[in-house]
Amino acid sequence: MNSVTNDPAGGTVRRPVIGICARTAPVTLQGSELTVSLALQSHVAFLSQAGCTPLLLPLLPGAQDLVGRLDGLLVPGGPDLDPVLYGQDAHPATRAMTPDADRTELALLRAALDARLPVLAICRGMQLLNVAHGGTLHQHLSDITGHDGHRPPAAAFTLGRHPLKLRPGSGIAGVLDEAEPQTACHHHQGVDRLGAGLTATGWAGDGTVEAVEVTGHPFAVGVQWECGQTPDRRLHQALARAAGHPKN
């Protein structure tokens, strides 16, 4: 599916449609307490500026049926995944779970992968990508790493910065294309056992997996850092380019 916009030359331009998995959150608007479905505005703006039409996808039953109308999927950050999905009990630090939405999002992601749609999975999205392939998660990384650098303790939202080691020749290395990339992360969970059919292609210095790719897929990339919380648009642009190509 492509959306259509007017071309300055008088014709039409078909813009790839990229689904963005919605998050549900309470907000205060004009003095009223509301619960809304939302997406980070930078995801919307970066994809639009890259020539795509972003489409917000509320995580309701049957969301996976929309895959045939999409040209790509972005799975953003969000709350902790229900550990039942990967066969564990909840750690005391695991919180804000949304089990029904988790299962809907998992079905949507699997349908997108089966359809060979380009996928960009960010932070929680990368963790979901790992779980979708049978992998497991460390539920509280500081228990493993001995530090809180991936989610710095602070009153305000603060990004952790870490040098990033990328696998030479990987898709993510080609997208970032720089000698000394860094993460900009905010997460307390991460990949434990890597799922079958995934290749780890990026790591922090402490060994935390920071990027994965679906083996044999044209473009299905997961990154653990907060892509969208910085001005860096390269991954959104890569998703847009992949979505403009015919699926095979």
Side-chain angles (χ1 to χ4, degrees):
M1 172 181 174
N2 290 282
S3 64
V4 179
T5 59
N6 292 326
D7 186 286
T12 58
V13 177
R14 298 201 172 272
R15 294 167 63 93
V17 175
I18 306 295
I20 302 176
C21 296
R23 297 289 172 245
T24 303
V27 301
T28 301
L29 183 64
Q30 296 181 338
S32 296
E33 301 297 324
L34 305 172
T35 300
V36 301
S37 293
L38 52 80
L40 192 64
Q41 181 59 28
S42 59
H43 292 321
V44 173
F46 290 176
L47 289 172
S48 179
Q49 291 159 7
C52 297
T53 297
L55 179 66
L56 190 66
L57 301 176
L59 295 179
L60 300 173
Q64 67 271 21
D65 296 337
L66 294 172
V67 161
R69 303 185 180 187
L70 302 177
D71 299 294
L73 181 68
L74 188 150
V75 188
D80 292 339
L81 289 171
D82 183 359
V84 171
L85 293 174
Y86 49 95
Q88 293 183 11
D89 296 326
H91 185 284
T94 297
R95 55 184 174 76
M97 294 176 289
T98 54
D100 290 343
D102 290 348
R103 284 156 179 78
T104 298
E105 192 170 38
L106 190 61
L108 175 59
L109 174 61
R110 285 172 169 158
L113 293 171
D114 288 345
R116 306 286 282 176
L117 289 186
V119 172
L120 174 59
I122 299 167
C123 196
R124 164 203 160 97
M126 185 183 103
Q127 296 165 12
L128 186 75
L129 185 63
N130 189 51
V131 170
H133 285 81
T136 62
L137 303 179
H138 293 301
Q139 291 191 52
H140 198 51
L141 266 180
S142 61
D143 292 347
I144 308 302
T145 64
H147 65 83
D148 290 319
H150 293 276
R151 188 180 68 177
F157 184 87
T158 304
L159 295 172
R161 304 280 181 168
H162 302 277
L164 184 62
K165 180 181 178 182
L166 301 180
R167 183 185 295 275
S170 63
I172 191 69
V175 170
L176 298 185
D177 191 25
E178 59 182 292
E180 298 179 350
Q182 281 198 334
T183 64
C185 59
H186 189 89
H187 62 100
H188 81 111
Q189 299 194 338
V191 169
D192 180 6
R193 185 182 73 244
L194 189 67
L198 295 179
T199 301
T201 54
W203 302 264
D206 60 12
T208 299
V209 175
E210 292 285 335
V212 300
E213 299 175 29
V214 178
T215 308
H217 193 287
F219 186 92
V221 174
V223 297
Q224 189 58 75
W225 60 89
E226 293 288 349
C227 170
Q229 295 279 5
T230 72
D232 188 349
R233 307 177 185 195
R234 287 174 292 181
L235 280 162
H236 294 80
Q237 291 167 346
L239 176 61
R241 287 193 299 271
H245 293 164
K247 268 59 79 179
N248 50 38

